[in-house]
């Protein structure tokens, strides 16, 4: 959310966004992979549905834009950056999409639909973000 992502958006240039937490600046032509969320109490990766329940249940939407100490202390969440392999695979997928050569697997399409349904009740405007198929398939437990 530093503002640099708006340059590509202003020129209608598709982009691959990595290590994201906020989905609000992503257009339907973009591809993204979110940071992983880890429960600080259990050390386990946190499914998006559980994170959203914690976030919106807390009642302070401003926490969504803060990925530092406040979320760690109040929501018991730490963010984990994407791996170089996650980033590489998302980049390869974007090139294939731009060339019209990408076809989602049935599993990726199903997981993406689950993700959209998870976000819909909490933040309808964010629900149409396109997560890289490779990320969906690598972390299916996060989208259940």
């Amino acid at each position: 959310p530093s503002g640099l992502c708006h340059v590509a958006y202003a020129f209608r240039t598709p982009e691959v966004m990595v290590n994201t937490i906020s989905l609000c600046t992503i257009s339907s032509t973009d591809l993204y992979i979110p940071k992983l969320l880890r429960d600080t109490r259990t050390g386990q990766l946190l499914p998006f549905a559980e994170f959203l329940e914690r976030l919106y249940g807390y009642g302070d939407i401003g926490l969504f834009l803060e990925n530092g100490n406040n979320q760690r202390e109040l929501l018991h969440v730490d963010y984990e950056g994407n791996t170089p392999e996650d980033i590489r695979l998302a980049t390869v997928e974007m090139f294939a999409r731009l060339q019209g050569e990408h076809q989602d697997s049935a599993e990726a399409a199903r997981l993406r639909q689950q993700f959209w349904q998870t976000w819909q009740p909490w933040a309808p405007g964010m629900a149409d973000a396109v997560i890289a198929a490779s990320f969906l398939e690598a972390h299916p437990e996060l989208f259940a």
Side-chain angles (χ1 to χ4, degrees), residues 47-50 110-111 114-115 118 139-144:
F48 287 100
E50 188 175 337
R110 184 187 69 75
L111 291 167
Q114 282 185 270
F115 173 78
T118 299
H139 304 286
E141 72 283 1
L142 302 180
F143 303 98

Side-chain angles (χ1 to χ4, degrees), residues 6-63:
H6 296 293
V7 174
Y9 182 76
F11 289 98
R12 298 177 191 252
T13 301
E15 61 185 319
V16 177
M17 299 180 79
V18 300
N19 285 314
T20 62
I21 44 173
S22 174
L23 308 181
C24 58
T25 59
I26 298 173
S27 78
S28 61
T29 61
D30 295 337
L31 190 65
Y32 98 107
I33 52 176
K35 286 187 175 187
L36 296 172
L37 305 162
R38 192 165 296 277
D39 187 309
T40 60
R41 295 172 293 193
T42 66
Q44 299 296 312
L45 288 177
L46 194 63
F48 287 100
E50 188 175 337
F51 171 70
L52 291 168
E53 286 176 19
R54 288 185 193 186
L55 177 68
Y56 287 95
Y58 182 76
D60 182 358
I61 304 308
L63 278 177

